[in-house]
Amino acid sequence: MYTTKCNKFKGEIETYLSKEKNIFESRMDRVFRMLNIKTKLNQASIRKKDGYHASHLLFIMSLLPLLKIPSIHGFCRKQWYHWCVARKDAFYRFQRNPSRWRSFMYMIILKISEKLRFERCPLKERYFVIDDSPIPKRGRNIENVSFIYDHSVGRTFLGYCIVSLGLFTGENFYPLDFAYRFGKKRHPKSPGEKIGDPRSISGRMSHEAKHQGKVQLALQMVQRAFDRGIRAGYVLFDSWYAWPSLINAIRRINEDLHVICRLKDSKILYEYKRKKYRLSALYQKVKASMRKDSRTGLYLKRVTVVLSGSSDPVVIVFAKGYQEPDDEQIKGKK
């Protein structure tokens, strides 16, 4: 067991890049040094027992988007040994290592918060953003791969669903946390589910992916962000997450934390003037009193209701005349 020695944590690309004076590399270098990436990796126990340093491999992987290379396979296929002589197996072992990436991300965001002084931004201008993204996969033999329904295009695909939490400060967006989940329906030729020991890092992630839904994962991420000392005034998410249970649970985390979301017409009832209505019925009741807003040009109506499971007043804003921007046509979208 040994560790390949590098004069600097960047390794073999140091000489080449210093001669070429690559602008983007020098900026990445300053960012890595400013954020103490090598130290944070060690603190999060993300280290390699042999081969190349974890910080060296992470630096190369951070450069790939700037080089417009979509994957490690694409980088290694080019055989750019003047950048890095590490082969694909070194990167793949590093990616497969069940490391504490969640802790590492929070260490980095707290360091960025300290450098950029997030506290100068008013609390009401800081937002947690919850969203989920489909990750399609082609191979049916990938561990725990399953069929996932993508509501944005209205079809099912083979892959995973990634639930993520970010922080928007009014000027920039920062990723905070993530979790993945898979469905119950699998390809007939796929191997069985592999759920590890919940006491281990990889086992806990796979246990969450199987037994917890997206709403539970989102709530846990908001709670972890607060436990780490990251604050925001609002939580933003789309209509899929607009469940009273999630909204009330977020409000219980902190009284200064509010929710802004788009509602969906479902069986959820809203109490208005001591009567309960579904969203569509409530709209029919108040649409005659909608007035045109001079700033937006939309017909608006603000209604104060009581949400199920809570005594706090909730404001619903009905809008008429709004049309979603349609700049990009998604193939197969309904």
Side-chain angles (χ1 to χ4, degrees), residues 140-157:
R140 59 175 181 263
N141 293 325
I142 301 175
E143 182 179 309
N144 292 336
V145 70
S146 65
F147 287 105
I148 301 292
Y149 180 76
D150 185 0
H151 58 84
S152 62
V153 297
R155 63 184 179 88
T156 302
F157 65 92

Side-chain angles (χ1 to χ4, degrees), residues 6-172:
C6 299
N7 293 329
K8 294 187 178 182
F9 69 90
K10 294 184 296 186
E12 305 87 280
I13 64 174
E14 166 65 25
T15 304
Y16 173 79
L17 292 177
S18 61
K19 289 181 179 179
E20 295 296 323
K21 297 181 180 180
N22 228 313
I23 296 178
F24 70 82
E25 182 278 335
S26 61
R27 291 181 177 177
M28 288 292 296
D29 182 36
R30 289 197 299 269
V31 169
F32 266 59
R33 293 179 183 277
M34 179 186 69
L35 299 179
N36 299 327
I37 295 294
K38 188 175 182 179
T39 302
K40 301 303 181 186
L41 287 170
N42 289 328
Q43 291 176 351
S45 300
I46 301 176
R47 57 178 73 96
K48 287 174 59 63
K49 295 180 180 179
D50 57 2
Y52 292 88
H53 287 278
S55 55
H56 168 71
L57 299 178
L58 181 62
F59 185 86
I60 297 296
M61 294 170 65
S62 301
L63 290 176
L64 296 187
L66 302 176
L67 297 172
K68 296 184 178 181
I69 300 177
S71 64
I72 291 295
H73 175 71
F75 174 78
C76 295
R77 190 172 56 184
K78 293 180 181 297
Q79 298 182 350
W80 286 351
Y81 298 133
H82 52 273
W83 287 79
C84 176
V85 298
R87 303 301 177 91
K88 59 182 178 63
D89 289 343
F91 290 99
Y92 291 157
R93 285 194 298 268
F94 177 60
Q95 289 180 318
R96 289 195 298 265
N97 185 22
S99 304
R100 299 170 57 197
W101 290 108
R102 182 174 286 161
S103 299
F104 174 72
M105 288 181 64
Y106 274 112
M107 290 180 186
I108 296 302
I109 195 62
L110 289 173
K111 188 68 175 180
I112 293 175
S113 174
E114 176 187 338
K115 292 289 185 179
L116 301 182
R117 298 178 62 185
F118 284 178
E119 69 276 3
R120 294 187 301 178
C121 178
L123 191 66
K124 64 180 182 179
E125 295 182 10
R126 280 177 271 166
Y127 306 87
F128 288 134
V129 181
I130 298 173
D131 198 9
D132 58 89
S133 304
I135 308 296
K137 296 293 182 180
R138 293 184 179 180
R140 59 175 181 263
N141 293 325
I142 301 175
E143 182 179 309
N144 292 336
V145 70
S146 65
F147 287 105
I148 301 292
Y149 180 76
D150 185 0
H151 58 84
S152 62
V153 297
R155 63 184 179 88
T156 302
F157 65 92
L158 192 66
Y160 301 100
C161 178
I162 301 295
V163 183
S164 57
L165 176 71
L167 176 68
F168 181 65
T169 61
E171 295 181 352
N172 297 293

Side-chain angles (χ1 to χ4, degrees), residues 271-285:
E271 185 177 338
Y272 176 64
K273 294 183 178 180
R274 299 183 179 180
K275 292 185 179 181
K276 294 185 178 181
Y277 303 88
R278 288 181 54 169
L279 189 65
S280 56
L282 182 59
Y283 171 72
Q284 294 297 328
K285 184 174 181 60

Side-chain angles (χ1 to χ4, degrees), residues 275-305:
K275 292 185 179 181
K276 294 185 178 181
Y277 303 88
R278 288 181 54 169
L279 189 65
S280 56
L282 182 59
Y283 171 72
Q284 294 297 328
K285 184 174 181 60
V286 303
K287 69 176 184 179
S289 58
M290 299 179 76
R291 296 293 180 267
K292 188 173 183 179
D293 180 66
S294 58
R295 184 173 64 88
T296 61
L298 304 176
Y299 289 89
L300 304 177
K301 177 60 180 180
R302 180 186 177 99
V303 180
T304 302
V305 301

